[in-house]
Amino acid sequence: LCDILLDSHVTLKAASNKSQLSEKGKNDLDEVRKKLLEALPGDDDVLTSGMVDKIVSFGPKRSGPNILINEVSGLNIGSAWNQLESRDKADKRTEHVSSLVNGFQLATLAGPICEEP
């Protein structure tokens, strides 16, 4: 799993700005998603069932081997593969998603175990 993410560093970095992603970039991102789906156990595994589609962000720098997964029931915020154009404003939890993702990015970049060998 880590090897897939490390090998796909450039693609994931480019994907962090989806509005400017070329057709080749979109295809490369789809290939990364397919590789992750193949690397994880099937849908019969309770821990990993649907996990790839719940990935919100990679870190650090939106392209590293750390993964932030949305497991919050009823919270529809999109994923790393398809960003939602508009979030449900009635759900107050969506107001905090960008702060959580930014906190995840900071923790994976400069967290206490990130600097250790």
Side-chain angles (χ1 to χ4, degrees):
L1 193 60
C2 279
D3 289 340
I4 293 169
L5 294 175
L6 291 173
D7 291 343
S8 306
H9 172 76
V10 173
T11 301
L12 294 173
K13 188 72 170 175
S16 66
N17 188 358
K18 288 191 187 314
S19 63
Q20 297 177 358
L21 199 58
S22 69
E23 195 61 39
K24 182 185 179 321
K26 290 176 186 176
N27 290 337
D28 290 348
L29 185 61
D30 194 42
E31 282 299 313
V32 172
R33 184 179 171 279
K34 287 177 185 175
K35 286 179 185 177
L36 288 173
L37 286 168
E38 291 171 5
L40 293 171
D43 286 337
D44 55 337
D45 189 310
V46 175
L47 292 176
T48 61
S49 176
M51 184 173 70
V52 172
D53 292 325
K54 296 176 185 175
I55 295 174
V56 176
S57 185
F58 298 95
K61 300 181 182 176
R62 301 193 187 281
S63 61
N66 300 293
I67 301 173
L68 178 63
I69 299 171
N70 176 19
E71 280 290 331
V72 179
S73 179
L75 181 61
N76 189 13
I77 57 172
S79 71
W81 320 111
N82 59 351
Q83 300 292 326
L84 289 179
E85 294 301 320
S86 62
R87 296 184 175 151
D88 182 10
K89 298 202 188 278
D91 189 345
K92 295 294 183 188
R93 299 176 296 178
T94 61
E95 296 174 8
H96 306 288
V97 171
S98 63
S99 296
L100 289 170
V101 171
N102 287 334
F104 168 76
Q105 293 299 324
L106 287 172
T108 57
L109 182 62
I113 62 172
C114 294
E115 301 279 332
E116 297 176 9

